[in-house]
Amino acid sequence: MRTLTRSTAAAVTAASLALLVTACGSGDESDGKDTGKDARPSASATSGAPAAKALSSAELEKLIVEQADLPGHQVQKAKATDLVKPDTLSADKPSCKPLADAMSFVATGDPAASAHRKAIEVPKTEGATASPQDALGALSAPVTSVTLGSYDGQGAQEAFAALKTAGTDCAGGFTLNGGGEKTKISKVAPETVSAGEESLAWTVTTDMDGEPFVTKLVVFRKGNTLASFSTLSLGGTAKDLPKAVIDAQAAKLG
């Protein structure tokens, strides 16, 4: 497990490593702190038009997916060790920073508030006793980090636009710097997804000691709230977009 964890850390940064390690447990505590920051004044605020008001952390906590929303998954609140500060992440191509954030359990841009969950797909087993194969399947089960960010003014639209630009600019790859590790993203390929008012999805391939480590990344915007989903597996490949998680979150946002 230690060797696999070290290899995974090199592939998905310290933030994703924390997500993977915690997936093996069942903790559900949160640091309870608002991890966002005040957004800059938007164009609508300076033009005289009514500016969108960001939701509070408490309001986001009521809107983010919970256990009751996702049958077949174990839903956990993010622990303090799962989260990283946005300013500790960077990319060798500045336009790729929004993707680095979305991949690392960070709300892109300048959210006024954010909320986080982890949704672990529970493998179906036959009988009361899990076999060694079932246990291996559980370790390889897809783990999806869910992040909601709420923004003042046009902040959500601006963050979404930055992610859209990043998907194009960074299609050929980039280097993500975080947690003292450099991670080589070799490819960012577009996927098709439909959720919220506008949405984007990608398959992200990371070079892990010469082997591909495949994750899925999805973002959608609903009003001035941006939802992002990063799915990975200790097995090395996340095969599908986390449709059940996306649909459940979209339904809660209305």
Side-chain angles (χ1 to χ4, degrees), residues 99-119:
L99 284 177
D101 289 342
M103 291 170 62
S104 304
F105 228 171
V106 171
T108 299
D110 292 314
S114 59
H116 309 80
R117 292 292 185 275
K118 291 174 296 182

Side-chain angles (χ1 to χ4, degrees), residues 66-88:
E66 298 288 6
Q67 185 66 63
D69 306 313
L70 278 170
H73 291 73
Q74 182 188 72
V75 180
Q76 305 173 358
K77 289 185 178 181
K79 295 182 178 181
T81 52
D82 295 327
L83 307 177
V84 297
K85 295 180 179 180
D87 58 7
T88 65

Side-chain angles (χ1 to χ4, degrees), residues 12-54:
V12 294
T13 78
S16 294
L17 172 62
L19 177 63
L20 286 168
V21 172
T22 309
C24 298
S26 58
D28 62 354
E29 61 184 283
S30 171
D31 62 349
K33 296 180 181 179
D34 181 357
T35 58
K37 54 184 177 180
D38 291 338
R40 292 188 298 268
S42 67
S44 60
T46 57
S47 66
K53 176 69 174 176

Side-chain angles (χ1 to χ4, degrees), residues 8-17 84-106 170 173-188 204-207 215 217 230 232:
T8 304
V12 294
T13 78
S16 294
L17 172 62
V84 297
K85 295 180 179 180
D87 58 7
T88 65
L89 294 170
S90 63
D92 61 338
K93 300 177 183 178
S95 63
C96 300
K97 175 65 160 57
L99 284 177
D101 289 342
M103 291 170 62
S104 304
F105 228 171
V106 171
C170 311
F174 64 99
T175 299
L176 187 159
N177 302 304
E181 299 282 351
K182 288 189 175 182
T183 303
K184 176 61 180 176
I185 311 301
S186 55
K187 185 178 180 181
V188 179
V204 180
T205 304
T206 300
D207 182 357
T215 62
L217 186 62
S230 181
L232 48 82

Side-chain angles (χ1 to χ4, degrees), residues 199-218:
S199 54
L200 295 164
W202 303 273
T203 293
V204 180
T205 304
T206 300
D207 182 357
M208 184 178 72
D209 298 330
E211 296 294 328
F213 188 95
V214 178
T215 62
K216 301 291 185 178
L217 186 62
V218 178

